[in-house]
Amino acid sequence: MAEADSHATADRVGVEPIGLVRVRSVVVAVFGDAHGHAEALDAVIGAAQASDAQQLWSLGDMIGRGPDFEHVVTRTRELCAVALMGNHDYGATGSAEPARFGEPGSSAVRSIELARDRLSGPHIEWMRSRKPAARRGEVQLWHGGPRNAVHEYVGASNAAACLAVQRAELGLVGHTHVAAAWRQTPRGAEAVKIRVGVPLDLAGGKWLLNPGAVGAPAPSRSGWWNALDLQAANGAYWLLLDLERRTATWQRAPYDPAPARLRARALGLDGLATRPVD
């Protein structure tokens, strides 16, 4: 399978490589948008390993804005049974120009340029073998959304249209950095309130879920790093998905944001971007 990686080993991470278990009975830890943040990603992986998760699925944007692109790509490559590409990841491989992510000289653009320079040849080759979408049984996954797997933002204005073209009973998306759940209705789509730690019953109908972001803040006027500082105590978002019981439980893994910010400052990545980046 295209997104399965031979580096994923059960004895190393406590999850089963894809293909050893039936997809319908798998318990999956789903996350996305690590954005080059080592402590946030490691907190989520640690929490997932301590849970019932048998596999890790990543929805992309391994790099971008954070200083730890090598760490995040390595961990994702080694541990994830599904690893999608996000729009920032395409910047690192050369498929998207750095200028797409901000003004020349901005911290957002510099993070892409640094990733291009410092990621090893094998890392880049592996990333180029990834895709922005995948399907596992009755689950479809996109970094962006069903209509544009790389760049689409799924929200209130287009959730109905996205669910209309989604073929599987369950869809998973990232990219917005906002945890969300949408259920298809006869009139379109309904936003369903999520509560951290409380399972959401997915029985019946078609659903589209966003686990939230690992190493990126929800939209904020405070700026990228200030917002991360404020949100880190509550924790990085991830989703525990039980495909047999058809439940989804949003989780948060607290982490210390200070070390990554210091590393970002040393690399010139701590400034505010001159325009918002996605």
Side-chain angles (χ1 to χ4, degrees):
M1 298 183 179
E3 279 69 31
D5 192 330
S6 61
H7 289 266
T9 57
D11 55 354
R12 200 167 21 169
V13 302
V15 297
E16 294 186 69
I18 199 160
L20 296 184
V21 289
R22 291 181 300 111
V23 172
R24 290 184 179 179
S25 63
V26 171
V27 178
V28 183
V30 184
F31 66 89
D33 297 283
H35 281 281
H37 199 304
E39 281 81 11
L41 177 63
D42 289 347
V44 165
I45 290 173
Q49 290 175 327
S51 73
D52 295 330
Q54 299 164 283
Q55 296 182 5
L56 298 176
W57 292 359
S58 168
L59 301 180
D61 267 359
M62 296 172 277
I63 66 104
R65 296 301 297 267
D68 307 314
F69 28 83
E70 295 159 303
H71 180 90
V72 172
V73 172
T74 297
R75 295 280 276 170
T76 304
R77 182 181 181 185
E78 290 179 345
L79 306 184
C80 291
V82 174
L84 303 186
M85 286 282 281
N87 54 312
H88 285 81
D89 303 324
Y90 283 110
T93 63
S95 296
E97 288 302 315
R100 185 182 185 98
F101 302 95
E103 300 296 331
S106 68
S107 57
V109 168
R110 179 165 171 75
S111 71
I112 301 295
E113 294 170 340
L114 283 172
R116 282 189 179 188
D117 290 341
R118 298 192 180 188
L119 286 170
S120 68
H123 277 145
I124 295 296
E125 183 179 355
W126 173 77
M127 291 173 72
R128 286 174 175 162
S129 74
R130 306 294 91 193
K131 296 180 180 180
R135 180 159 183 164
R136 294 293 180 266
E138 283 303 312
V139 184
Q140 287 181 278
L141 307 90
W142 305 273
H143 173 69
R147 300 179 303 173
N148 186 318
V150 179
H151 295 293
E152 185 171 32
Y153 291 94
V154 177
S157 64
N158 65 347
C162 290
L163 281 162
V165 300
Q166 176 180 310
R167 295 183 178 182
E169 294 179 357
L170 178 60
L172 299 171
V173 296
H175 196 42
T176 69
H177 305 167
V178 178
W182 305 92
R183 177 171 54 197
Q184 189 175 47
T185 67
R187 295 186 177 183
E190 173 189 19
V192 178
K193 184 177 181 180
I194 62 174
R195 291 182 291 170
V196 174
V198 179
L200 177 64
D201 186 0
L202 304 177
K206 193 185 292 185
W207 290 81
L208 188 53
L209 312 178
N210 189 323
V214 171
S220 170
R221 295 180 180 273
S222 301
W224 184 280
W225 290 99
N226 289 336
L228 274 181
D229 287 347
L230 294 172
Q231 296 172 25
N234 290 326
Y237 272 100
W238 62 285
L239 180 66
L240 187 64
L241 184 61
D242 190 322
L243 296 175
E244 183 172 29
R245 296 180 179 178
R246 291 191 60 81
T247 61
T249 308
W250 278 260
Q251 307 281 4
R252 300 193 74 172
Y255 63 94
D256 181 1
R261 186 163 192 174
L262 288 175
R263 293 191 297 274
R265 185 168 301 157
L267 293 172
L269 305 180
D270 191 29
L272 294 178
T274 55
R275 66 176 178 85
V277 297
D278 53 21

